[in-house]
Amino acid sequence: MRLLLRLLLLFAIAVGLAVASRFNPGNVVFFYPPYRIDLSLNFFLLLLAVLFWLCFLLINALSITQKMPSRVAAYRRDKREREGNRALRDSLKALFEGRFGHAEKAATRAGVSPDNTGLAALIGARAAHRMQQTARRDDWLNIAAEDSGLRTARLMTALELLVDDHQPERALTAVDELNASGTRHIHVLRLALKASYQARHWSEVLRLVRTLDKNNAMHPAASRRLRELAYDALLSDRSNDAESIRRVWAGVPISDRTTPLVAVRAAEAFGSRGLADEARSIVERALAVEWDDRLIMAYRGVAAAEGSAALLAQIEHCEAWLMQRPTDPELALTLATLCLKQKLWGKAQRHLEHALSDASETETLRAIHLKLAQLHESLNQAEQASAHYRQCALAGLLDQVHPSVRRLS
């Protein structure tokens, strides 16, 4: 439809010009002695239009000729950019496909384009890291550092790769740079947690775990395990004195103090520094929340002195617990151990025999036989003591043979 309208308009203009020229009697005279040129006005106007058109074409040709070098340069630049973009896409595709050598080569080609240099360097760094080429990885990261607009991306990439390469100190340096720039999103916190764990910075591990827990960004089981490991390391540090242990324990939240592993380590730490009363209190509070054999084993490890009111209180607590758990061999063994320390021979023997009838674990059986041997030795019953010592030794041998038997089966 548009073409038809344009043709009609063109015909109308042609008709108009033909009619106008028919009724135009004017002429134009060019006189240069001795020459004279007479032209009709219509022909003169036609020549003038043709001349104008030729001048326009000449000027346009000159303009195009002048712009040719810049246009060639722009064409080459666009060609490089197209090739660089294609190489960048190829490098990403190869990286996702796991063809890391191809990805690094494509990243090298993509880096020819200045706009792609930074991103291509990050892709090359990841590809080199996957091929365990740490020197090339660091070279790629140094290239990416030249692009200030990719600072956060470069630091995040470096942090992730360094954590994966188990270089926690360098990773934590990247974390500090990210924190200084105000980048503290969840992924940074997770990577910082991994780096702090690798560097054994337990206080920082606890801080990061609490932060991630507040944001519901961590599985509860993983959170609990990391807290247990951190408290275990802090409480097991031999360089801490009694006051240092008290300060560490004061920083443990109430909810974590009753966790079995944490309570056991705290009891051991307090007990080894002569703070047995506090150690027993820690175990008793933890047992009131959750029963665990590790706690009851730690409880007998912090037994009070013979004849003390604290030892009698421990015996009373164990007797009360035994009424609730009559088939618990560890509890019976603990009660018997406390009775032995108090020299309640008959009660100790009764509870040891009770524990022996319920025990199934090799380590528990060995401990029971050892206590029975010590009991009979204290009562000058050498024959019975020797028998239990032999049983204790046999239990130890069985514990060594049992794993190989399992493997053969």
Side-chain angles (χ1 to χ4, degrees), residues 90-324:
D90 292 342
S91 65
L92 280 172
K93 181 174 179 289
L95 181 68
F96 293 145
E97 291 175 347
R99 298 184 295 124
F100 303 119
H102 289 80
E104 190 174 8
K105 292 178 182 178
T108 303
R109 296 197 306 272
V112 174
S113 175
D115 293 338
N116 295 336
T117 302
L119 288 175
L122 295 181
I123 297 172
R126 288 185 177 275
H129 175 78
R130 295 302 179 188
M131 294 186 292
Q132 299 182 352
Q133 300 294 329
T134 56
R136 288 212 306 268
R137 176 199 66 194
D138 294 339
D139 291 340
W140 281 114
L141 290 174
N142 290 333
I143 294 173
E146 299 174 2
D147 190 341
S148 58
L150 293 175
R151 182 173 183 273
T152 301
R154 174 183 62 83
L155 289 173
M156 285 296 301
T157 301
L159 174 57
E160 183 176 349
L161 300 184
L162 291 171
V163 166
D164 187 63
D165 201 27
H166 293 277
Q167 298 186 37
E169 299 301 333
R170 291 181 61 189
L172 290 174
T173 301
V175 171
D176 293 337
E177 292 185 42
L178 285 167
N179 290 338
S181 64
T183 306
R184 298 181 182 181
H185 52 72
I186 296 299
H187 192 50
V188 174
L189 295 176
R190 287 173 174 157
L191 292 173
L193 175 59
K194 291 182 180 179
S196 298
Y197 174 77
Q198 293 174 359
R200 299 299 187 261
H201 295 172
W202 300 113
S203 299
E204 185 66 10
V205 167
L206 290 172
R207 186 189 70 81
L208 291 169
V209 167
R210 294 190 191 109
T211 303
L212 289 169
D213 285 341
K214 290 179 182 177
N215 291 278
N216 296 321
M218 197 170 188
H219 194 279
S223 173
R224 174 171 175 154
R225 182 56 180 162
L226 283 173
R227 291 199 306 272
E228 287 180 348
L229 290 173
Y231 292 132
D232 184 7
L234 291 172
L235 292 168
S236 301
D237 189 352
R238 297 295 180 182
S239 63
N240 289 331
D241 56 12
E243 288 304 317
S244 299
I245 287 295
R246 284 195 175 105
R247 285 197 296 270
V248 172
W249 188 244
V252 179
I254 300 297
S255 58
D256 290 336
R257 293 185 182 185
T258 56
T259 303
L261 179 61
V262 177
V264 168
R265 291 293 178 268
E268 293 173 351
F270 278 92
S272 63
R273 290 162 180 81
L275 306 173
D277 291 340
E278 295 178 52
R280 288 189 294 273
S281 177
I282 290 170
V283 175
E284 289 168 2
R285 284 196 292 268
L287 283 170
V289 175
E290 180 181 355
W291 188 268
D292 193 284
D293 285 343
R294 292 172 295 178
L295 289 170
I296 202 65
M297 292 167 65
Y299 195 59
R300 68 172 175 257
V302 291
E306 178 187 345
S308 64
L311 181 58
L312 295 176
Q314 279 187 278
I315 293 173
E316 291 177 0
H317 285 140
C318 288
E319 289 175 341
W321 293 331
L322 193 60
M323 293 179 65
Q324 301 172 2

Side-chain angles (χ1 to χ4, degrees), residues 387-408:
H388 284 291
Y389 276 129
R390 283 194 299 272
Q391 291 294 327
C392 180
L394 288 173
L397 291 174
L398 179 62
D399 192 27
Q400 295 177 4
V401 172
H402 188 54
S404 62
V405 173
R406 283 202 304 266
R407 286 195 296 270
L408 290 173

